[in-house]
């Protein structure tokens, strides 16, 4: 209820004509037990009073968790306002656009739906995660003679804080780099006409762990704790040299316990943006508006603690909205007409789960996408 209330508030404030909502880990970690909640959530979204002016919708839910070979747990929702006249969606099999009418939900048939492309990353990308649900779903749309792709994405997480800390950049950063490159290559390959694209979801981008720890613990000394039987490092404790040897940071596989969380919230964590480096390798291919919201993950899942981070990971901007350089022209060219581009998070003071949703709102001028016009057949 909290989540939907905050979401509806953003819809009410910005009143978009076209709205795309990308969800990851649909059904949560215990998806077998939770898929019934998903159905309730979808029904509420499609029938709520707050959404009554959106008379057309497309919902694509990857709920087929029994098919480990294909299951991505991604959910993509697209809502069209009644005032929007001609909007078309691309049929990837027929290679032509089809007019969007009515409301349709697709769940267990995504593999055979021609209106999207879905892929799970090949197993060898992340061999230590046996049943990884990471992948992407792509749809293509045409509004006001402007064609663009919307890609829902979920990239690999950091399995261990201790491993992430060992090298700069981390081994996990390298895996995400490879996976994102794979997605970008797929969506601009030769099979279809190239159009502008927006890629948004949970990229799992992390701050460069080694640099962050070194900065946060500049004056601290490190104590290493090893397992008695294997001699493997299981914990790192950073203490101040004086001040009664106060513990500054404790690091374990799934523990990142820093004594002062305010550093991640002060000025929206701006001081830490210099350690957000994973996008830099794609600077010639992807654009992002300036971030002015605090790290989007990992928030406490205690409903009374809307602003508190969990002590499991170093807070980071995992959830992002990225775009091709031609899509940047759509967003910024539109901005010159009216200054209405917003890139922000949802529910700053409310528990929204372990990730705060991130949104981008902008006006797109009619015909802004030319020469990327779509031919409707």
């Amino acid at each position: 209820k909290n989540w939907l209330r905050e979401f509806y508030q953003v819809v009410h404030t910005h009143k978009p004509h076209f709205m795309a909502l990308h969800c990851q880990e649909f059904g949560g970690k215990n998806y077998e037990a939770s898929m019934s909640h998903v159905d309730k959530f979808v029904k509420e979204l499609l029938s709520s009073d707050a959404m009554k002016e959106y008379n057309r919708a497309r919902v694509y839910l990857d709920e087929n968790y029994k098919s480990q070979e294909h299951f991505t747990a991604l959910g993509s929702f697209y809502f069209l306002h009644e005032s929007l006249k001609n909007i078309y969606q691309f049929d990837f099999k027929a290679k032509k656009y089809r007019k969007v009418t009515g409301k349709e939900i697709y769940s267990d048939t995504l593999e055979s739906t021609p209106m999207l492309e879905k892929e799970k990353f090949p197993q060898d990308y992340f061999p230590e995660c046996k049943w990884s649900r990471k992948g992407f779903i792509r749809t293509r749309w045409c509004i006001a003679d402007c064609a663009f792709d919307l890609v829902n994405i979920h990239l690999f997480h950091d399995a261990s804080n201790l491993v992430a800390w060992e090298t700069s950049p981390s081994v996990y950063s390298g895996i995400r780099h490879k996976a994102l490159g794979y997605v970008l290559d797929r969506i601009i390959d030769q099979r279809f006409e190239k159009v502008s694209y927006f890629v948004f979801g949970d990229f799992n981008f992390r701050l460069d762990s080694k640099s962050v720890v070194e900065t946060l613990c500049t004056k601290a000394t490190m104590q290493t704790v090893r397992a008695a039987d294997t001699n493997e490092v299981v914990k790192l404790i950073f203490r101040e040299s004086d001040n009664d040897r106060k513990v500054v940071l404790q690091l374990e596989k799934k523990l990142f316990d820093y004594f002062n969380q305010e550093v991640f919230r002060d000025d929206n964590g701006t001081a830490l943006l210099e350690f957000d480096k994973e996008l830099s390798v794609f600077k010639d291919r992807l654009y992002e508006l300036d971030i002015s919201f605090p790290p989007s993950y990992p928030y406490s899942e205690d409903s009374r603690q809307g602003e508190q981070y969990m002590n499991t990971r170093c807070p980071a901007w995992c959830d992002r909205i990225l775009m091709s350089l031609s899509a940047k022209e759509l967003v910024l060219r539109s901005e010159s007409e009216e200054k209405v581009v917003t890139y922000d998070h949802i529910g700053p003071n409310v528990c929204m789960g372990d990730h705060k949703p991130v949104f981008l709102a902008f006006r797109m001028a009619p015909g802004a996408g030319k020469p990327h016009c779509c031919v409707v057949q």
Side-chain angles (χ1 to χ4, degrees):
K1 284 178 181 165
N2 281 354
W3 197 101
L4 286 166
R5 187 183 67 241
E6 297 293 322
F7 174 73
Y8 293 149
Q9 184 60 52
V10 170
V11 173
H12 179 73
T13 301
H14 293 275
K15 297 182 171 56
H17 294 106
F18 178 88
M19 178 166 39
L21 168 65
H22 286 176
C23 302
Q24 301 79 40
E25 286 290 15
F26 223 63
K29 297 279 191 287
N30 305 314
Y31 42 85
E32 293 186 44
S34 303
M35 280 304 176
S36 59
H37 300 300
V38 168
D39 295 338
K40 274 165 63 179
F41 175 80
V42 173
K43 285 194 181 90
E44 158 65 31
L45 260 180
L46 290 176
S47 62
S48 77
D49 205 42
M51 303 291 282
K52 66 177 184 291
E53 292 177 8
Y54 295 88
N55 62 350
R56 289 151 294 168
R58 291 293 179 271
V59 179
Y60 302 104
L61 305 174
D62 191 357
E63 293 187 309
N64 188 11
Y65 56 82
K66 294 194 170 116
S67 171
Q68 292 291 1
E69 188 186 342
H70 299 293
F71 182 50
T72 62
L74 293 172
S76 298
F77 297 71
Y78 304 98
F79 301 97
L80 285 59
H81 193 269
E82 59 195 13
S83 65
L84 199 59
K85 292 300 175 241
N86 293 319
I87 179 157
Y88 303 88
Q89 189 183 358
F90 191 64
D91 180 323
F92 286 96
K93 293 218 168 52
K95 295 194 177 182
K96 63 183 180 186
Y97 287 90
R98 302 191 185 282
K99 190 162 186 174
V100 181
T101 57
K103 296 181 179 180
E104 295 176 3
I105 302 173
Y106 299 85
S107 53
D108 51 358
T109 55
L110 294 198
E111 262 61 54
S112 57
T113 303
M115 308 309 285
L116 58 81
E117 283 202 315
K118 186 192 109 176
E119 267 195 70
K120 184 168 169 168
F121 292 118
Q123 193 69 62
D124 59 1
Y125 267 79
F126 212 50
E128 60 264 53
C129 192
K130 192 181 174 196
W131 291 126
S132 169
R133 294 179 290 282
K134 309 300 190 284
F136 69 95
I137 289 179
R138 165 205 202 180
T139 54
R140 178 170 290 190
W141 303 84
C142 179
I143 309 175
D145 285 341
C146 179
F148 53 86
D149 282 351
L150 299 177
V151 182
N152 185 352
I153 193 167
H154 193 185
L155 297 184
F156 302 107
H157 64 290
D158 281 15
S160 163
N161 292 325
L162 294 169
V163 174
W165 179 81
E166 287 170 359
T167 58
S168 173
S170 79
V171 60
Y172 305 117
S173 165
I175 294 166
R176 287 189 285 272
H177 174 195
K178 184 178 168 189
L180 181 52
Y182 176 88
V183 175
L184 297 183
D185 289 344
R186 282 294 280 163
I187 61 178
I188 60 159
D189 64 17
Q190 300 304 311
R191 294 168 304 141
F192 306 102
E193 181 194 3
K194 288 187 178 66
V195 299
S196 302
Y197 56 84
F198 295 84
V199 186
F200 53 111
D202 179 7
F203 291 84
N204 261 314
F205 289 160
R206 305 300 166 100
L207 303 186
D208 185 73
S209 194
K210 196 161 185 60
S211 308
V212 170
V213 169
E214 285 169 0
T215 303
L216 294 178
C217 304
T218 315
K219 296 176 179 168
T221 54
M222 185 179 82
Q223 174 190 349
T224 304
V225 181
R226 295 178 182 273
D229 49 350
T230 61
N231 206 34
E232 180 188 1
V233 175
V234 291
K235 186 170 191 169
L236 299 174
I237 304 170
F238 296 83
R239 299 175 185 274
E240 289 187 10
S241 306
D242 39 30
N243 195 19
D244 291 335
R245 309 265 299 137
K246 175 183 165 184
V247 173
V248 179
L249 173 69
Q250 296 183 78
L251 210 59
E252 294 176 15
K253 181 179 179 179
K254 292 189 176 177
L255 178 75
F256 187 97
D257 188 1
Y258 187 62
F259 81 102
N260 177 21
Q261 274 203 7
E262 289 307 313
V263 72
F264 303 109
R265 288 190 289 261
D266 283 350
D267 194 22
N268 291 323
T270 306
L272 297 165
L273 274 170
E274 65 173 294
F275 305 115
D276 178 72
K277 300 175 179 177
E278 294 198 31
L279 201 50
S280 59
V281 284
F282 293 100
K283 64 178 183 297
D284 297 332
R285 302 178 74 179
L286 289 171
Y287 173 77
E288 180 180 33
L289 278 98
D290 290 339
I291 291 176
S292 58
F293 48 87
S296 64
Y297 170 86
Y299 281 91
S300 167
E301 292 175 307
D302 182 330
S303 59
R304 297 160 302 180
Q305 297 184 329
E307 299 176 38
Q308 186 79 12
Y309 288 108
M310 284 193 283
N311 291 331
T312 50
R313 308 283 184 196
C314 176
W317 288 273
C318 291
D319 306 276
R320 316 280 276 260
I321 299 174
L322 311 178
M323 63 197 82
S324 63
L325 302 185
S326 57
K328 168 192 171 185
E329 295 302 314
L330 294 183
V331 172
L332 299 182
R333 189 185 307 173
S334 317
E335 186 183 19
S336 61
E337 320 256 324
E338 271 183 72
K339 288 270 182 198
V340 282
V341 177
T342 308
Y343 187 33
D344 206 352
H345 64 328
I346 300 179
N349 314 115
V350 175
C351 176
M352 302 289 282
D354 55 349
H355 290 258
K356 293 275 190 213
V358 166
F359 76 97
L360 174 67
F362 63 95
R363 289 182 67 86
M364 192 164 69
K370 291 175 178 171
H372 297 298
C373 308
C374 49
V375 178
V376 179
Q377 293 170 309

